[in-house]
Amino acid sequence: MTESRRPDTLPRDRRDLTGPFDVIGDVHGCRGELETLLGELGYLIDRDEQGRAIGAAHPDGRTVVFVGDLVDRGPDTPGVLRLAMGMVAARTALCVTGNHDYKLVRALDGRNVRIAHGLERSLAQLADEDPEFRSAAHTFLGELPSHYLLDGGKLVVAHAGLPESLHGSTSGRARSFALYGAPTGEYDEYGLPIRYDWAKDYRGTATVLYGHTPVTKLTWVNNTLCLDTGAVFGGSLSAVRYPELTTISVPAEQIWTERAGITPAG
């Protein structure tokens, strides 16, 4: 398979799009939870003749924005991709790339990547799909931008967040920060990397919505919000409505992957 185009091949500057938006946190292959959350948000799901979700639209014209990490760890990466790809194609959703999405692209490119952290599940699940779907998913993930600048610049969506100085930037530093954040090189008590807490120092005027680092509850910090509430670890799948800034979460159906430091939904 030929190598996919790298992230940021799609325009990241979409200040012309004003919403309203529903920004959804890290899905990680949790298709059931995604369908439930879309239903709670008021979206109507389209299905194919096999009953698979292939798209969704809101009767009021709202648009979903996925913060990335659609893949890995969960039970149905192909199902999540099928639904997200259908929505993006129908212009009822936007999506930025996450570090897991990017690593899957590199694996499908034939690059030498470590098959760990749930990547093995995505590869096994995709192996059961037909070549046409695998190719389409490869292309879709390979073309996702690192971040989106929306609503006249008042909203930024990036997988790991983004400091104000990098909003709209095409630099490698902006892409790296958007995908991975800024690791300090240190590790916490669970052996997980400690990242620079950019949000505590953020003073920008744009609202920044992101995921990447699982949290146990949704907490606004200086006009930023992390939406990864650990659905795949037994937490919940969360979204925030914009511009209303109201949040909604649905509990995980079960613990799909164990991880230290994450409290399952009760």
Side-chain angles (χ1 to χ4, degrees):
M1 184 175 290
T2 58
E3 183 174 332
S4 292
R5 299 154 70 191
R6 295 283 71 93
D8 287 346
T9 59
L10 293 179
R12 70 193 61 75
D13 188 345
R14 293 308 310 268
R15 283 177 285 189
D16 57 303
L17 300 179
T18 59
F21 301 108
D22 297 303
V23 185
I24 296 179
D26 303 38
V27 181
H28 278 304
C30 296
R31 178 194 48 77
E33 289 87 343
L34 177 56
E35 290 190 26
T36 299
L37 180 58
L38 288 172
E40 291 291 325
L41 288 166
Y43 287 78
L44 304 177
I45 295 178
D46 296 324
R47 299 185 184 276
D48 63 14
E49 64 280 356
Q50 299 178 54
R52 301 177 301 186
I54 57 172
H58 198 285
D60 296 332
R62 301 181 68 90
T63 301
V64 162
V65 187
F66 293 104
V67 305
D69 276 6
L70 297 175
V71 309
D72 292 353
R73 294 185 171 139
D76 193 1
T77 280
V80 170
L81 288 174
R82 185 175 288 107
L83 176 51
M85 289 162 59
M87 293 180 69
V88 171
R91 299 185 180 180
T92 60
L94 300 167
C95 185
V96 299
T97 191
N99 58 302
H100 282 262
D101 306 313
Y102 181 47
K103 189 176 182 182
L104 175 56
V105 170
R106 292 169 62 212
L108 294 174
D109 284 340
R111 297 292 190 93
N112 183 22
V113 300
R114 185 183 175 200
I115 308 300
H117 304 297
L119 176 58
E120 67 283 356
R121 290 191 179 184
S122 290
L123 292 173
Q125 291 163 12
L126 286 169
D128 291 333
E129 299 291 328
D130 61 65
E132 183 179 1
F133 177 80
R134 291 199 301 270
S135 178
H138 185 197
T139 299
F140 170 77
L141 292 172
E143 293 182 342
L144 294 177
S146 64
H147 67 285
Y148 270 118
L149 196 62
L150 302 165
D151 191 22
K154 292 184 288 186
L155 174 64
V156 173
V157 179
H159 177 61
L162 205 62
E164 185 177 33
S165 62
L166 299 177
H167 292 180
S169 173
T170 61
S171 70
R173 179 167 177 258
R175 189 183 77 178
S176 178
F177 199 109
L179 265 70
Y180 305 106
T184 64
E186 300 177 336
Y187 296 85
D188 66 14
E189 61 184 303
Y190 304 107
L192 304 176
I194 297 174
R195 300 180 179 93
Y196 161 61
D197 187 2
W198 65 274
K200 72 177 182 181
D201 296 326
Y202 182 74
R203 298 295 184 272
T205 56
T207 298
V208 182
L209 302 176
Y210 65 105
H212 188 52
T213 302
V215 295
T216 55
K217 63 179 180 179
L218 297 172
T219 304
W220 285 95
V221 178
N222 297 330
N223 207 23
T224 78
L225 182 65
C226 178
L227 288 163
D228 183 0
T229 44
V232 77
F233 303 117
S236 60
L237 185 62
S238 296
V240 60
R241 297 180 175 97
Y242 177 94
E244 301 91 340
L245 302 184
T246 57
T247 60
I248 184 170
S249 301
V250 298
E253 295 179 357
Q254 66 177 69
I255 298 174
W256 300 106
T257 296
E258 297 280 355
R259 183 171 181 179
I262 301 298
T263 302

